[in-house]
Amino acid sequence: MTKKKLNLKSAIQKQFRSQRQIGKAPGTITYMGNREDGTYAITVIDYSDNLFDFQTLTRVEDALAFKEQVNVTWFNVYGLSNEKEIDKLGNYFNINPLVLEDIVNTNQRPKIDEYDDYVFATLKMLYLNKDYEISTEHCAIILSEHNVLLFQEIELDVFEGVRDRIKNKFGRIRTRQADYLFFALIDAIIDQYFVVTENIAAKIDLLEEEVYNHPSQETAEKIQRLKKEVLSVRKWVVPVKDLVNRIIESEHPLVTKETKLFLRDALDHSIQINENIQLYRELITNLMEVYMTNMSNKMNEVMKVLTIIATIFIPLTFIAGIYGMNFKNMPELESEYGYFYVLGIMFLILIVMIIYFKRKRWF
Amino acid sequence: MTKKKLNLKSAIQKQFRSQRQIGKAPGTITYMGNREDGTYAITVIDYSDNLFDFQTLTRVEDALAFKEQVNVTWFNVYGLSNEKEIDKLGNYFNINPLVLEDIVNTNQRPKIDEYDDYVFATLKMLYLNKDYEISTEHCAIILSEHNVLLFQEIELDVFEGVRDRIKNKFGRIRTRQADYLFFALIDAIIDQYFVVTENIAAKIDLLEEEVYNHPSQETAEKIQRLKKEVLSVRKWVVPVKDLVNRIIESEHPLVTKETKLFLRDALDHSIQINENIQLYRELITNLMEVYMTNMSNKMNEVMKVLTIIATIFIPLTFIAGIYGMNFKNMPELESEYGYFYVLGIMFLILIVMIIYFKRKRWF
Amino acid sequence: MTKKKLNLKSAIQKQFRSQRQIGKAPGTITYMGNREDGTYAITVIDYSDNLFDFQTLTRVEDALAFKEQVNVTWFNVYGLSNEKEIDKLGNYFNINPLVLEDIVNTNQRPKIDEYDDYVFATLKMLYLNKDYEISTEHCAIILSEHNVLLFQEIELDVFEGVRDRIKNKFGRIRTRQADYLFFALIDAIIDQYFVVTENIAAKIDLLEEEVYNHPSQETAEKIQRLKKEVLSVRKWVVPVKDLVNRIIESEHPLVTKETKLFLRDALDHSIQINENIQLYRELITNLMEVYMTNMSNKMNEVMKVLTIIATIFIPLTFIAGIYGMNFKNMPELESEYGYFYVLGIMFLILIVMIIYFKRKRWF
Amino acid sequence: MTKKKLNLKSAIQKQFRSQRQIGKAPGTITYMGNREDGTYAITVIDYSDNLFDFQTLTRVEDALAFKEQVNVTWFNVYGLSNEKEIDKLGNYFNINPLVLEDIVNTNQRPKIDEYDDYVFATLKMLYLNKDYEISTEHCAIILSEHNVLLFQEIELDVFEGVRDRIKNKFGRIRTRQADYLFFALIDAIIDQYFVVTENIAAKIDLLEEEVYNHPSQETAEKIQRLKKEVLSVRKWVVPVKDLVNRIIESEHPLVTKETKLFLRDALDHSIQINENIQLYRELITNLMEVYMTNMSNKMNEVMKVLTIIATIFIPLTFIAGIYGMNFKNMPELESEYGYFYVLGIMFLILIVMIIYFKRKRWF
Amino acid sequence: MTKKKLNLKSAIQKQFRSQRQIGKAPGTITYMGNREDGTYAITVIDYSDNLFDFQTLTRVEDALAFKEQVNVTWFNVYGLSNEKEIDKLGNYFNINPLVLEDIVNTNQRPKIDEYDDYVFATLKMLYLNKDYEISTEHCAIILSEHNVLLFQEIELDVFEGVRDRIKNKFGRIRTRQADYLFFALIDAIIDQYFVVTENIAAKIDLLEEEVYNHPSQETAEKIQRLKKEVLSVRKWVVPVKDLVNRIIESEHPLVTKETKLFLRDALDHSIQINENIQLYRELITNLMEVYMTNMSNKMNEVMKVLTIIATIFIPLTFIAGIYGMNFKNMPELESEYGYFYVLGIMFLILIVMIIYFKRKRWF
Ligand SMILES: [Mg+2]
Ligand SMILES: [Mg+2]
Ligand SMILES: [Mg+2]
Ligand SMILES: [Mg+2]
Ligand SMILES: [Mg+2]
Ligand SMILES: [Mg+2]
Ligand SMILES: [Mg+2]
Ligand SMILES: [Mg+2]
Ligand SMILES: [Mg+2]
Ligand SMILES: [Mg+2]
Ligand SMILES: [Mg+2]
Ligand SMILES: [Mg+2]
Ligand SMILES: [Mg+2]
Ligand SMILES: [Mg+2]
Ligand SMILES: [Mg+2]
Ligand SMILES: [Mg+2]
Ligand SMILES: [Mg+2]
Ligand SMILES: [Mg+2]
Ligand SMILES: [Mg+2]
Ligand SMILES: [Mg+2]
Ligand SMILES: [Mg+2]
Ligand SMILES: [Mg+2]
Ligand SMILES: [Mg+2]
Ligand SMILES: [Mg+2]
Ligand SMILES: [Mg+2]
Ligand SMILES: [Mg+2]
Ligand SMILES: [Mg+2]
Ligand SMILES: [Mg+2]
Ligand SMILES: [Mg+2]
Ligand SMILES: [Mg+2]
Ligand SMILES: [Mg+2]
């Protein structure tokens, strides 16, 4: 409607990542992330109640041997930029191209899709890295009859606990089917969300302390950055509630009633995560208001000091100015005690003003 | 998106409470609260229409005797940090590990879960302690065929009225089954929420009086603290409405039609609690706006005083400055009544300005 | 999270009204209001198409005579603090204790409950009293087969029109059953809500006029008070829509299809009331923004005056100060026309500044 | 809660319009509008595929002749304050008193009611009058088997296009039944809503231009008035979506499947109207923020000028003041070049300050 | 309510575009856009697994030949202002007049309508033009048994990728039916929405950098313009989610189960688009707050400088003024070291004030 335009050309005259997919047929595997160093590896954990096997696959073809067995097999794929290998793997496991496209689409929002032979889920791992910053990593999981395929971009992940439980036969995981492993991976991801939200809560506490006790100009920027961090966490975490809920309500034969009990526990956690995030947003808004009020009150205080100084001294200076004039005929100047009278009047004005300001509660 | 980071490392490089659960199998009993002094006790109230028995159990095994009887038995467990004892008790009563995990999870949001043999509810007791501050205590309740298990962290609670009614045969409680006791406990918790919200309403009134009559810089902080208090009360109180509603709509055989009538009364109360909390949030927002407007109006008043003083005296001082110059040839200075003329002109300017400001309604 | 606490002890160390109910069995009749002067009276209007009888009951027992008749009987109870009499009446009419508790609970939110033999509704009468202020009075209505029981705290009410129509045989009321009387009472209450909302609209208009034409510091407080008034009206008025809707959708045998047509008209009105209240809230928010903008613009104007005065006279005063110095050797002072040159330069600076400010549109 | 009251008595001690209905039986015809000049007229358009007749009725009784015919008849009633005539007409057409009450209730929100023999709709005509201002007129439409009754307050309306199409046999209207005429009237009303919203959009554009290029104190008031206009348009326009939707979903025998196709088109338009209004509200809020930011930035600019002037000249004036003192023993005054040294120092201070402000980007 | 009116006459006394439709029968073809240069062309792509034909039609009648064939035919109409030709084409393909009206209604919100023989969808192409600005073009698509009709205003579009895939037999498009082409066109449109939202994200990043590092008065205007751009993108993009969802849930025989799988992928994308747009709105609001806080902090800094200067020098100047008075009898002036004492006192005051301000953290 207005004719002026945003003068942002240089920044936007670039190739956008989403343009990689323009004109391609749906189901074309197009890696959307930044980790294009060619990393690609597959590890396999094969287990049943009394069997545990760990291997690193050298060829995708070796996966087939595990695929048909009755043992639960966890295929773990690291690196998603090698589109050809992903395609090959997808063909071996008979995965729909639309799913393969979503596996390597790091912008894909968390969701679950059911197919005849398998269930596909994609969500984000959020965890604190060794610098205690929030890391976000793409993750895709496929549950088929005796297998779980897990796709991730880098080696770091949140599944060490699950691997330990399988290896060391902790809990019930070794006695259960693939759907329990599928749940256990999602549960491990959600458990880390609590750490992330607790980290956010700790930052809110810190900033609250800063706002109340030693606010500075940087405090506002910190609050706003935290708000933005919460927004970006929310983006990946909030849809997980629907994801879990949809597995529970699904009637897919691969998801057993026993596992659904555990999924309900995970649903419970993801509801709580959502509520926490909503609460944090309100606390941050609250905090920003406290900050603004503080700043505004300080400003008021500064203004009062200025006004008091000006109100007291400007009239006095004017009086001094009067008797600094050089008129020939100024009777007061000749008076013997004129100077002292004027000083007295000035003192009187000072007193009256101080009383006036006290009454107005200016200090 | 910006490169700068929140510089909050020291605060967040700590072990978060939620990390206690990382890597553990779902259903692992992990106490999440702060009361780890080892307190652990079980009391038993066993009653029917013409029987009343109160005991403190020395061994968990003694609970079994009461469990199978047809009398209603209220098992009251104090202290949740003793994970082994909780586990043992859970086994005796055949409780699902996921429930045991939630019993000791003090961060668990209020919810209800139905199992074949029992109903599990967890919610928060909110009450005013002896310093009239809002206390929040975790609470978990299990309803089984002839028994109610109540888990709490400390001895203080909101159930004295219920114990009295059982002991003294007030009302209908002694003639009813375990589901009525289950309801009576939840009802006692909700009744205290009214005290808490009335306490919040009293604080709003007080702060309103302060805002209108003697606002200070601290007033804003008090308002914001109250807002935060309401947010944290809301967090624990709002989900209780759904909790009660779900018992009413459940078709679990342990919850009788007669008790559902009473639960509908409790639902009614929890709806009202939610509406009150919503109203208080709006009143507090309103109050903050009044405060900000007051402050802004005061600022305006200060600015006006400054401007009036400056506008009146600065030009007059300039005139005095003119006649304070030391030029040799300044005819006015020689004039016999020059001084008095100038004083007169100054007075005139003063009058004109005062009229001008009056018209502008500056004072 | 912060350690500082709201220092509001004195105000909250009091007995809260809601504490009256703590520990009591559900269904205990506990009057929650302020009108504890012992007022208690029952009047009876008994009518059919060709019968009209008005009586004041001296004993509750006398009510029984009317109860069983086929004529429509309107029992009107004034005063709710006499808990024993309410209890007795409840027993005669076989009312559930939970209903009796709600009848005297003046904090009860508007709602409707259906029982086998009767329908119970509670809502608030809102009307303008003789000082044209909004009055709020608790009201409870029970519809049974041939009777309507109306409970209120004081004698003033909004039902005079209904009494007139019965007495004078206006409209269809004398030819209809008790459910039509039940509707007529609710309709009379809702009709008064329109007067209340129109009163609010009139206040908004008045305040709007004040904001645009002669805003003062009090204006903001008036706006905020009106906002609070709207919030408290909303609290009692908004749930009435659901109340009416639930009678319409109920399949209770006491509510006939013919009366539901009229209830739909009342529903229509309560929807409109809700929309009006929502609109008023937005108008008041709007008004507050206008006020704030006005204040901010006035502040700007004051600042500009200050800045113009200072910008013009401070440099000129400085020049005068220069030539007021007492240096021995100041050649300009000796110059015959020095004084006039300086006055000229000052005048020039003045003109330049005025042009500069005109260009900046400062005045 | 606070004791102070809104002192608005004079304004609210008047008879409110809604008090006209207090105490009356539901279904009492009570005109609620302002046009009480007694205007009352009925025109009739009677048509079928090959018949067109236009008449002005002198007596209500003449309507009966048209009522029973198989031709479509459009009865158009002008003027609603004549309650008796409306009542008579209602009796002839066997209209429920509740409908008659709504026909003359100019405050009635848009709605549709289905009765056995007819469908009743009421909504508002919004259109631009000849001064290009938004006019709002009450309108009620009844569809019976072969007739449409249209009630409006004044002669001006939005139906000229429909009359033309009937008279000149444009489009399909002459070949269709009464339900198509009913639709055509509603469609004509909705078409005008687009003109009204486009008018609002044009005003937003104009105000946007004003805000960016020459904002004044009045700009804020204009924005807020437009916001209020949008709120009042929304009030009448938003419920129309539900109205149309309910006709479509109704199974009333008078509304044919063919006409429902056209109603779906009208629904489409009313959805778009709602979206536009929502968008305009956001644009206006946006605009107000731009205005406020502009004002705030201007204020900052003014403050900077003030501060620069004060910061530069106040210290210099102080120095001049020092050497304007009259002490006997002031060595500098005697120095031959003292005056020039001091002038030099002042100039130096000036330069340093200008550099300092440049660095701070104050100008 | 207020009597003052928006004085915007000149701007609104014009013919509004929506007035073109006033009084016309529904289904009248009325072009609502701005591209009235008479452009009108039809191209045809006719294909099956082993056939590809491209033609430009000289006469509308030639379309009929392709219409009845079993091959998939894509009719592409450029230019919508030629209402007669659109009408003729509509007749050949037996399209409902209401659909034809919507095809040329460039204001039509995105929607889908199902008819017996065809499905009609209209939505907006949003893409970056060669100046990297967001372009919005109207688009309408009709799916009939073996044909897809695509209507657009200008030659530029987002379908080059689809044309290439058909021509070069990429992907599965040549082996599928018309419904897959219908999907492919909608998918191509949605894919471009990602580019548009990524463009918006890039602008947000740029503005964020500007706000944090070199904010100016223009920054606020840029932010608000971006907000408005997001609002207008949202208007056209948000309804597409419902559009796609309704095709998926439709049971129209022309949409096969295989194509619905792909439509679910498109639905997934349109959900993500909606979430992104919602996120961007919050980020922009956030950014505006950062800007306002920055500006407010800068203002504070300016005020402090002013106050420090005034607070230090005004009292000192007053002292100098005292000793600049010309009283005969001023003992201090005669004192030999009076001047130096006064200088010392002034220096002392200066030091005390600096310490005071340091303590208040004013600099
Ligand atoms: Mg694609
Ligand atoms: Mg994304
Ligand atoms: Mg978990
Ligand atoms: Mg999201
Ligand atoms: Mg908030
Ligand atoms: Mg705000
Ligand atoms: Mg776990
Ligand atoms: Mg759990
Ligand atoms: Mg929590
Ligand atoms: Mg209760
Ligand atoms: Mg909550
Ligand atoms: Mg109770
Ligand atoms: Mg109750
Ligand atoms: Mg209450
Ligand atoms: Mg009514
Ligand atoms: Mg309410
Ligand atoms: Mg009505
Ligand atoms: Mg609003
Ligand atoms: Mg605000
Ligand atoms: Mg009435
Ligand atoms: Mg109204
Ligand atoms: Mg239309
Ligand atoms: Mg409305
Ligand atoms: Mg249309
Ligand atoms: Mg919108
Ligand atoms: Mg039309
Ligand atoms: Mg439009
Ligand atoms: Mg796509
Ligand atoms: Mg839209
Ligand atoms: Mg996809
Ligand atoms: Mg805002």
Side-chain angles (χ1 to χ4, degrees), chain A residues 284-302:
Chain A
I284 291 170
T285 300
N286 211 8
L287 205 51
M288 195 67 206
E289 274 180 30
V290 178
Y291 175 82
M292 294 302 285
T293 313
N294 270 3
M295 283 295 132
S296 162
N297 278 334
K298 280 199 174 167
M299 179 83 170
N300 275 4
E301 198 193 348
V302 169

Side-chain angles (χ1 to χ4, degrees), chain B residues 128 131-133 161 165 171-172 180 183 187 191-192 194-195 198-199 202-203 206 208 212 221-222 225-226 228-229 261-262 265 268-269 271-272 275-276 279 282-283 286 289-290 293-294 297 299-301 303-304 306-307 310-311 314-315 318 321-332 360-362, chain C residues 1-2 4-6 8-9 11-14 16-19 21-26 96-98 101-102 107-109 111 115 214 217 220-221 224-225 227-228 231 234-235 239 281 288 291-292 295 299 301-303 305-306 309 313 316-317 320 323-326 332-334 336 338-340 342-343 346:
Chain B
L128 295 186
D131 295 327
Y132 288 81
E133 284 162 352
R165 271 147 56 198
R172 64 189 76 73
Y180 188 85
F183 150 74
D187 179 63
D191 279 359
Q192 290 285 353
F194 279 104
V195 180
E198 221 178 315
N199 172 277
K203 285 175 185 162
L206 256 173
E208 185 166 2
Y212 278 110
E221 293 191 6
K222 286 183 193 165
R225 278 209 194 90
L226 184 56
K228 203 177 153 186
E229 196 168 283
L261 193 68
F262 290 96
D265 188 58
D268 207 45
H269 292 173
I271 291 170
Q272 188 148 349
E275 286 184 356
N276 287 349
L279 178 65
E282 297 183 39
L283 289 175
N286 211 8
E289 273 180 32
V290 178
T293 312
N294 271 2
N297 278 333
M299 179 81 171
N300 274 6
E301 196 193 350
M303 285 305 305
K304 277 183 200 164
L306 175 58
T307 306
T311 310
I314 286 178
F318 166 65
I322 292 277
Y323 296 106
M325 294 194 293
N326 298 322
F327 283 99
K328 276 269 157 64
N329 180 19
M330 289 177 71
E332 299 96 318
K360 289 216 154 202
R361 299 194 199 201
W362 283 18
Chain C
M1 292 178 174
T2 53
K4 296 185 212 168
K5 292 281 171 190
L6 282 170
L8 299 167
K9 287 220 178 131
I12 62 176
Q13 285 180 350
K14 64 175 189 191
F16 288 115
R17 193 163 295 275
S18 52
Q19 285 174 317
Q21 286 193 313
I22 298 298
K24 292 187 183 168
N96 190 304
L98 289 173
E101 187 184 7
D102 289 348
N107 295 324
Q108 176 62 43
R109 70 186 290 274
K111 68 156 182 179
Y115 289 83
H214 42 86
Q217 296 205 15
E221 293 191 5
Q224 297 291 1
R225 279 208 192 91
K227 201 171 174 182
K228 203 178 154 187
L231 283 177
R234 188 185 63 157
K235 176 181 174 174
R281 290 192 65 202
M288 195 67 205
Y291 175 82
M292 295 301 285
M295 283 295 134
M299 179 81 170
E301 197 193 350
V302 170
M303 285 305 304
V305 170
L306 175 58
I309 295 294
F313 286 101
L316 299 184
T317 304
Y323 295 107
M325 292 194 295
N326 298 322
E332 298 96 317
L333 296 183
E334 313 298 323
E336 189 165 358
Y339 174 50
F340 303 102
V342 166
L343 285 187
M346 285 173 170

Side-chain angles (χ1 to χ4, degrees), chain D residues 187 191, chain E residues 21 24-26 101:
Chain D
D187 179 63
D191 279 0
Chain E
Q21 286 193 312
K24 291 186 183 170
E101 187 184 6

Side-chain angles (χ1 to χ4, degrees), chain D residues 165 183 187-188 191 265 269, chain E residues 21-28 101:
Chain D
R165 271 146 56 198
F183 150 74
D187 179 63
D191 279 0
D265 188 57
H269 291 173
Chain E
Q21 286 193 312
I22 298 298
K24 291 186 183 170
T28 308
E101 187 184 6

